[in-house]
Structures are given as C-alpha cells and as structure tokens.
Amino acid sequence: MALTARDGGDAAPMGPDRLLADTAQVARHADARLTAALNDLFLPDFVRPTDSQRAAMANMLDDLVTEIDRDLRAGLIARLGEAAPPVLSVARIPIVRPIFDRAGVLRDRELVALLLARAEEHRIAQAIRRVAQISPEPTPVVQLSVAPELETMLQQAENRRTGSHGEPHITIRDVPADLLHRLFWWAAAALRDYLERSTSLDPGARDEALAGVVATRLASHDEGQTLEAAAMRVAIALNGDESLLFELFRAGRFSLFVALLAVRARIDFAPAFMLAADPGIGALAVLLRAVEASTQVSAPILLQMAAINRLSEAKLEERVNDFLDLDTAAAQDAIRPWRLDKAFRHAIADIGRERRQK
C-alpha cells in the first residue's frame, strides 16, 4: 500500500469507489468554488492579482514550503539517527504542504505580502532591463560608495531573487524572522501530526527532536541577509543620495532604488515599496515629491513606470502635471502615517479592515 501525507496511511479508494469519492469531493467543493468565483468576478481590477502574479506567487510558495519541509526532515533524520522513520527521506511524499493546506495556515497576510512584493519587484526590474536593452544609451554600471561587505551582501540577496529559469524566487534566507518563526513551528506541528498518525516513533523523542531542529534553524537565521534589509543598510550608508536614484532605476536595481526613497522619506522599506510599485504611478509621484526629488530625476522615472504599467498618454500627462503642481508639504503630510511604528500601522489597518468590510 502506498503511503501519502494526504491519507495518513489509510487505503485510497480503488475502482468504482474512486469515482464515488471524486463525486463526493466535487459536491463538497462546489460551494467553495462558487464563492471564490463570485469574489474574483466582482473584485476591482486594481486589487485583483494578475494571472502572472498569481502563478509566480504560487510557485514561490511551493518552493518555500518544500525547502522548509526538506530542511526539517533532514534535521530530524540527523537527530533521530536509526530511529528516524524511512518516510522522512522519501522526498516524493509531501508531508508539510498537504497539512498546511488543510489547516489554512498559509493564509498569512505577511507571507502573501512578501510573495506579492517579490513578484512585483521581479516584474518591474525585468521590464526596466528590457527597456535598457533596446535603449541607445548604455545601461549604467552603478558604483556604490559603501563597505565591500555591504555591497557583497546586497549582490548575493539580489542574485537569490531570480531562479534558474529567470523566474521570481524566494528562499528561507529571504524571509523576515517573525514570519519564518511561524512557518517553522507550523511545519514542526505538521510533521508531528503526520508522524503521530503514521509511525510508531516514540512521542517524547519525536517532540524533542522537532523542537531542537526548529530552535537550531531559527538561531542560525540572519534577517539582515534578506533583500529588503540588505538594501536598506546600503541605502543608509549612501545617505539616500538623490544622484543615484535614476541610475539605480535605469539599472533595474529596483529594491535599492526603493530603499533610497525609504531612507529619504524616513519610512520603512515595505510602505516605500508599496508606494513606488503603484501601477497607477500616482503614489510614486507623491513619494518622489515628498523626498524632494528633482523634476529632472522624477520625470523619466514616472515616464518609464507609466510605460511598464501600460498607462495611456493622457493618464501619464495628467500624472506628470499633477506632480509638477503638488506641494512638497502636502506630499510629506500624505506619507506621514507611514512613519508611525510598524505595530501601530498594523493595528490601525486591523481596526479599519473591520469597518471597511461592513
């Protein structure tokens, strides 16, 4: 009998029973599919993920959960030695992901935000590089006046963001500490659930090994190696130099471009990215004005972002004119809430979300 993580060791239906089981599953899922279709159908275009975003996020999520699953399994095998159940070394048997899906733990706002930001960063950076390839002007090689170890850390983080086939990519090293803490403990709980149902492993040895593996992995995690953290450290060292803004943008180093804006605006990377990646470019225009970027720097950035997001010429002209008329003080007041403590911002969003849903 084949053992899978989905059935926990129970025999899968065979023959006609398999058809009956499939029919029952369709009936169970019919209402959920209808609800999802209704929600998606009436979502405004500006909040609906594109097909490419959805696919990229799903692939990154698969890879990240698989990496965590394999990492914990390897740690368990090392700790348990000969007592390790053979199933732990069979990579083709998924354990963690099916249990995650059943429990719904991956519906985590911080996790989805990370995946969406990485997908958008990749889309924008790739589009900028495509423009640079057909431009008669050579793509600038940006020289950063920072400590070599800082630049190396950033380059390594930038290299990790793209997979072997040019797709957006994320690894354990790119996950913020708080989120990684949740993911590893969820994975440990999923493995514990599976081993409890499917093996005769001693409960005490199992729990002690799982706790030890997770503690070791979390202790070795350096949040400063994430792309966002590395970009912010470099931007702080550069002191948000405006002269680099357009050079970095043209070079497709979008995360460092965002980090420079964040430093100049005195806000965190996440809200700076949200504003800079606005497909309507209005929020980017406000951010550029708030950091007092010159028109010489801002106009070509807005022009290129409008092209990347396929804005009409009329919309681009409207945005640029609004930018020219925008008062610096008004722009700075607009981004002021993003200077609040992160926990305070999240609390405000949580309270407001309930009101918006009514």
Side-chain angles (χ1 to χ4, degrees):
M1 177 182 68
L3 181 67
T4 72
R6 292 186 183 278
D7 57 33
D10 296 333
M14 301 295 291
D17 288 342
R18 186 161 46 207
L19 295 178
L20 295 174
D22 287 349
T23 302
Q25 186 178 42
V26 168
R28 287 195 300 271
H29 292 175
D31 186 65
R33 291 183 64 197
L34 178 58
T35 300
L38 281 169
N39 290 337
D40 187 72
L41 180 62
F42 292 103
L43 274 178
D45 287 341
F46 70 90
V47 298
R48 178 187 289 111
T50 65
D51 290 342
S52 60
Q53 284 176 329
R54 190 180 291 109
M57 291 168 67
N59 289 335
M60 285 189 286
L61 183 59
D62 285 343
D63 290 345
L64 180 60
V65 173
T66 297
E67 184 184 6
I68 292 172
D69 187 351
R70 291 177 178 172
D71 194 46
L72 287 189
R73 288 205 224 184
L76 272 180
I77 291 171
R79 281 180 176 264
L80 293 172
E82 294 182 357
V87 69
L88 291 176
S89 61
V90 184
R92 64 181 176 81
I93 297 179
I95 296 179
V96 169
R97 183 59 189 271
I99 297 174
F100 273 9
D101 289 342
R102 191 164 62 240
V105 295
L106 294 177
R107 295 176 178 272
D108 182 281
R109 297 183 67 85
E110 188 179 358
L111 173 60
V112 174
L114 176 65
L115 296 172
L116 180 59
R118 183 56 55 91
E120 273 295 89
E121 193 273 344
H122 182 269
R123 179 185 72 86
I124 293 169
Q126 292 294 97
I128 293 171
R129 293 191 184 101
R130 283 196 295 270
V131 171
Q133 289 173 355
I134 61 175
S135 173
E137 298 181 16
T139 302
V141 177
V142 183
Q143 301 294 329
L144 302 178
S145 301
V146 297
E149 59 270 20
L150 276 182
E151 187 166 8
T152 298
M153 181 181 295
L154 176 60
Q155 288 174 343
Q156 290 174 345
E158 288 177 330
N159 291 339
R160 286 197 308 272
R161 69 186 174 179
T162 305
S164 57
H165 301 290
E167 75 281 8
H169 186 59
I170 194 166
T171 73
I172 289 173
R173 295 172 67 185
D174 301 305
V175 179
D178 288 347
L179 175 57
L180 190 65
H181 186 276
R182 295 198 296 277
L183 288 170
F184 263 115
W185 284 119
W186 283 335
L191 280 169
R192 182 184 189 275
D193 176 74
Y194 178 79
L195 293 172
E196 184 175 46
R197 290 183 292 109
S198 306
T199 73
S200 58
L201 182 64
D202 176 71
R206 176 200 64 210
D207 290 350
E208 183 179 350
L210 280 167
V213 172
V214 172
T216 299
R217 295 296 186 268
L218 292 177
S220 65
H221 181 65
D222 181 2
E223 190 174 31
Q225 292 185 354
T226 65
L227 176 58
E228 296 78 8
M232 286 296 287
R233 289 177 66 181
V234 171
I236 291 170
L238 292 169
N239 198 29
D241 189 349
E242 184 201 62
S243 65
L244 286 173
L245 276 175
F246 187 53
E247 289 182 50
L248 291 167
F249 182 85
R250 283 187 58 210
R253 301 186 72 174
F254 192 71
S255 289
L256 186 51
F257 164 76
V258 169
L260 279 174
L261 288 173
V263 169
R264 290 174 63 86
R266 293 183 287 117
I267 61 179
D268 293 340
F269 183 95
F273 184 92
M274 179 195 68
L275 298 171
D278 170 30
I281 77 170
L284 172 59
V286 171
L287 182 57
L288 288 167
R289 176 61 80 202
V291 302
E292 301 183 64
S294 66
T295 302
Q296 184 179 3
V297 166
S298 301
I301 291 174
L302 292 172
L303 174 63
Q304 194 157 331
M305 285 295 284
I308 289 170
N309 291 291
R310 299 180 180 179
L311 267 63
S312 66
E313 290 187 13
K315 177 59 71 173
L316 171 61
E317 182 179 3
E318 174 190 282
R319 291 302 196 203
V320 171
N321 288 336
D322 289 345
F323 169 77
L324 294 174
D325 293 339
L326 179 62
D327 182 70
T328 299
Q332 291 177 343
D333 189 58
I335 68 167
R336 179 184 51 78
W338 300 108
R339 292 177 178 152
L340 298 174
D341 181 85
K342 179 180 177 181
F344 192 12
R345 297 200 312 267
H346 286 181
I348 292 171
D350 289 341
I351 295 298
R353 189 177 302 116
E354 181 182 358
R355 184 174 63 251
R356 290 191 298 271
Q357 290 174 348
K358 290 181 179 180

